[in-house]
């Protein structure tokens, strides 16, 4: 996401994490890709390109399984490993930018809960919630109502209508068990055309 140290959206910008320490991104609607290999928290190099270059001023965040959260504030040239509050060896499966404030980012960490940053990922603080003793897999933010947050965990889903000040557990009708053990909600998406419709992807139990 480009521009003067700010985290902003661009219609043709996509970032996909392909493993715990690599990232593939595109600024050309998927036609050209830029690969980023994360090696350490101080000198993260190893950019490979194919017909695309990442322009200056991008802020890039990578959540990992087993190595916490990493942020770059200079288009993936150098990286900072987040240590305070978010466990450096924790599982950060999801983090998202709030639609009403490009500096405000929400991240989740297994058995630790929710964390938020108001300065592009420099400083992080815990966000109080009842989701501190389970695996957390996904965040769904309402693009038309930034106060609404959806969290997919294992095995429950949660909703806040006041930007995290209070929470309620949602009844998705999931069973206690599935072929992989306990159901986990690996993705939650709010329909941008009708925010009363929320989609939940459940491994390996389909879409709700």
């Amino acid at each position: 996401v480009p521009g003067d140290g700010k985290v902003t959206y661009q219609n043709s910008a996509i970032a996909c994490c392909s493993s715990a320490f690599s990232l593939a991104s595109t600024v050309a609607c998927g036609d050209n890709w830029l690969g980023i290999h994360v090696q350490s928290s101080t000198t993260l190099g190893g950019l490979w390109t194919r017909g695309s270059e990442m322009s200056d001023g991008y802020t890039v965040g990578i959540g990992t399984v087993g190595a916490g959260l990493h942020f770059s504030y200079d288009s993936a040239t150098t990286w900072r490993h987040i240590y305070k509050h978010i466990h450096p060896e924790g599982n950060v499966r999801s983090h998202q930018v709030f639609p009403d404030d490009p500096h405000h980012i929400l991240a989740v960490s297994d058995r630790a809960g929710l964390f938020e940053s108001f300065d592009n990922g420099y400083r992080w603080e815990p966000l109080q919630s009842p989701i501190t003793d389970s695996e957390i897999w996904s965040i769904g933010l309402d693009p038309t109502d930034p106060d609404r947050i959806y969290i997919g965990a294992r095995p429950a889903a949660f909703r806040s209508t006041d930007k995290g000040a209070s929470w309620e557990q949602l009844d998705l009708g999931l069973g206690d068990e599935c072929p992989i053990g306990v159901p986990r909600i690996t993705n939650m998406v709010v329909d941008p055309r009708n925010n009363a419709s929320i989609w939940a992807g459940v491994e390996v139990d389909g879409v709700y």
Side-chain angles (χ1 to χ4, degrees):
V1 284
D4 300 327
K6 300 178 181 179
V7 181
T8 56
Y9 289 112
Q10 179 175 320
N11 289 338
S12 60
I14 305 170
C16 302
C17 203
S18 57
S19 69
F21 289 100
S22 63
L23 178 75
S25 69
T26 179
V27 290
C29 299
D31 293 331
N32 303 303
W33 287 84
L34 173 72
I36 305 163
H37 182 61
V38 181
Q39 295 176 334
S40 75
S41 59
T42 54
T43 56
L44 301 178
L47 291 181
W48 51 264
T49 63
R50 184 178 181 180
S52 179
E53 296 289 341
M54 183 178 286
S55 52
D56 294 336
Y58 277 71
T59 296
V60 183
I62 300 179
T64 73
V65 175
L69 183 62
H70 299 255
F71 261 79
S72 171
Y73 314 105
D74 53 11
S75 299
T77 302
T78 60
W79 291 83
R80 176 170 171 254
H81 194 176
I82 306 300
Y83 280 89
K84 189 173 182 180
H85 296 302
I86 299 177
H87 197 289
E89 296 183 353
N91 298 337
V92 180
R93 305 180 195 272
S94 183
H95 59 287
Q96 290 201 27
V97 180
F98 277 88
D100 63 331
D101 182 356
H103 306 285
H104 190 186
I105 308 170
L106 181 67
V108 294
S109 183
D110 283 359
R111 307 191 185 284
L114 281 63
F115 302 86
E116 60 183 342
S117 169
F118 293 92
D119 57 4
N120 297 343
Y122 282 92
R123 291 180 293 268
W124 292 85
E125 297 292 338
L127 177 63
Q128 296 299 315
S129 79
I131 323 165
T132 57
D133 59 353
S134 64
E135 296 177 1
I136 309 175
W137 286 78
S138 55
I139 302 170
L141 298 180
D142 189 329
T144 60
D145 183 354
D147 287 344
R148 288 185 177 269
I149 305 170
Y150 297 87
I151 300 294
R154 183 184 187 220
F158 297 84
R159 174 179 61 192
S160 173
T161 59
D162 49 17
K163 224 167 195 174
S166 62
W167 295 88
E168 61 179 316
Q169 184 169 334
L170 302 177
D171 183 8
L172 270 62
L174 299 177
D176 294 331
E177 296 182 358
C178 69
I180 60 171
V182 179
R184 46 202 183 202
I185 302 165
T186 56
N187 203 8
M188 297 197 75
V189 177
V190 180
D191 190 331
R193 296 165 298 182
N194 176 14
N195 70 347
S197 296
I198 297 92
W199 303 82
V202 182
E203 188 183 12
V204 289
D205 201 25
V207 179
Y208 285 73

